[in-house]
Amino acid sequence: MLLDSIREVVAIARGLGVPLHISHFKAVGAINWRHMREKAVQLIEDERGAGMDITVDVYPWEAGSSQLAQVLPPEFLDGGLAEATRRLKDPAERARCKAILTGPPAGFENQVKLLGWENIMVGSVKTDKNKDCEGKRITEIAALRGVDPDDACLTLLAEEDCEVSMINFIACDDDIEAIMKLPYSYIISDSIYPDGGKPHPRQYGTYPKLLADYVRDRKVLHLEEAVRKCTSAPAEGLHIAGKGRIQEGYDADLVVFDLDRIENHATYLEPRGLGSGFSLVLVNGRVANRDDAFVNSAAGKVLVRR
């Protein structure tokens, strides 16, 4: 499905005569790791070699984040979350859903089959009743409640009106490293902010993790290249004027840090840990962070491409 989706967006971009940026570039599930990424990269590079402008982005985490309802077959999501909840509360429909999830391939990306319930963690729920599920894998919830993982998930979704976020462990570090090294890749953080619970740690720790793990400790990227992939490369690729460089006429967005002191403190179970080792952060020329302490400068602004 990864290769088909790339071919589809390439055809659309070519037809429109526009550059193409592929976000969240990854191969999902152990069965697809490494070999599928290699094929996808070759497909992109063939198109780039033929003159098409294609870039990609990646974040330095093996897990993604979405709504738990995304594990349901697409037909169960027709009509929105209210309809999905109604179906899951109907015993016959629920049994049909379970049969699709556990049965032979049915023409959609079945995360239950690709990942396994042990690789799907509940991030947040809506009600106090199920707060104990936050930070637990579906298999852990099933064991605590004495049911099988399929029923644990479907019951949780029904009880929470499908308003459950998940952290899904979908990628492998070999792929992440290889994508990071591509000259046309950017580094992103992404963000989904549930109310409470355990959000993805990428919201708090992406760039400290990148600098500490992939630059300083493992030397996957040189510091200069890592900085470029977080600043000037995406700004230029997305045609955002005045951003991404230390240059006259550009906004004074500056970060001062000592690479030896940088640490990431955000984890999947303690996701709100703030990075440390940053001496100074300026946004539009105004101090926003000093010695790892936030300064409310209200200096940010909406960015609009040229």
Side-chain angles (χ1 to χ4, degrees):
M1 298 183 84
L2 173 61
L3 300 182
D4 289 341
S5 66
I6 293 174
R7 293 188 186 101
E8 180 180 2
V9 293
V10 163
I12 293 169
R14 185 187 295 115
L16 293 172
V18 297
L20 172 63
H21 180 73
I22 300 172
S23 195
H24 294 216
F25 184 50
K26 66 173 75 75
V28 174
I31 194 172
N32 293 316
W33 291 344
R34 301 178 183 86
H35 74 96
M36 190 60 70
R37 178 258 305 163
E38 291 171 356
K39 293 175 183 176
V41 168
Q42 187 60 59
L43 176 56
I44 290 170
E45 295 191 345
D46 287 346
E47 295 294 338
R48 285 176 58 85
M52 190 165 189
D53 181 0
I54 305 180
T55 52
V56 302
D57 65 44
V58 64
Y59 47 76
W61 304 88
E62 294 173 2
S65 181
S66 186
Q67 299 302 308
L68 183 60
Q70 293 301 312
V71 305
L72 299 176
E75 64 197 85
F76 276 76
L77 294 172
D78 285 348
L81 295 185
E83 275 298 294
T85 301
R86 182 192 63 77
R87 292 182 181 106
L88 292 178
K89 290 180 177 179
D90 180 319
E93 285 290 279
R94 174 167 165 157
R96 187 168 72 87
C97 179
K98 184 174 177 178
I100 295 172
L101 291 177
T102 58
F108 70 101
E109 190 175 73
N110 187 339
Q111 293 197 47
V112 178
K113 290 289 184 67
L114 280 172
L115 308 180
W117 288 121
E118 70 275 10
N119 288 313
I120 298 175
M121 185 181 96
V122 172
S124 66
V125 297
K126 184 175 70 170
T127 71
D128 291 337
K129 174 183 178 180
N130 291 308
K131 283 291 180 184
D132 63 326
C133 294
E134 294 178 344
K136 291 186 176 65
R137 313 289 179 114
I138 296 297
T139 45
E140 294 177 297
I141 297 169
L144 287 171
R145 298 188 173 183
V147 298
D148 68 36
D150 307 295
D151 285 323
C153 177
L154 299 182
T155 297
L156 180 63
L157 285 171
E159 290 178 348
E160 296 293 320
D161 297 330
C162 287
E163 294 185 33
V164 184
S165 71
M166 70 172 171
I167 309 295
N168 47 346
F169 294 82
I170 53 182
C172 76
D173 196 64
D174 285 353
D175 284 352
I176 293 169
E177 283 193 15
I179 295 167
M180 275 188 185
K181 291 178 180 178
L182 296 173
Y184 48 87
S185 69
Y186 311 151
I187 308 297
I188 60 166
S189 59
D190 196 14
S191 60
I192 297 177
Y193 287 91
D195 293 331
K198 297 186 183 296
H200 197 299
R202 66 192 177 195
Q203 297 169 18
Y204 294 83
T206 287
Y207 298 104
K209 179 176 174 63
L210 172 73
L211 293 171
D213 293 357
Y214 290 86
V215 175
R216 181 190 64 210
D217 297 343
R218 293 162 54 186
K219 297 178 172 52
V220 175
L221 295 174
H222 294 298
L223 177 59
E224 295 84 356
E225 181 66 358
V227 170
R228 185 189 73 83
K229 287 174 176 287
C230 300
T231 56
S232 63
E236 291 167 6
L238 299 176
H239 302 282
I240 300 173
K243 293 289 182 182
R245 291 183 179 275
I246 302 175
Q247 183 174 321
E248 185 176 353
Y250 277 56
D251 294 338
D253 299 327
L254 304 170
V255 182
V256 180
F257 61 89
D258 179 348
L259 186 60
D260 290 334
R261 293 178 51 237
I262 292 290
E263 296 296 342
N264 166 48
H265 302 289
T267 67
Y268 293 110
L269 293 180
E270 299 294 337
R272 292 180 173 83
L274 300 178
S276 60
F278 296 91
S279 302
L280 199 64
V281 178
L282 282 83
V283 177
N284 295 321
R286 296 165 65 181
V287 174
N289 190 293
R290 188 189 301 275
D291 295 326
D292 298 324
F294 175 66
V295 178
N296 187 6
S297 66
K301 64 181 181 182
V302 175
L303 300 182
V304 181
R305 63 171 290 170
R306 287 194 296 267

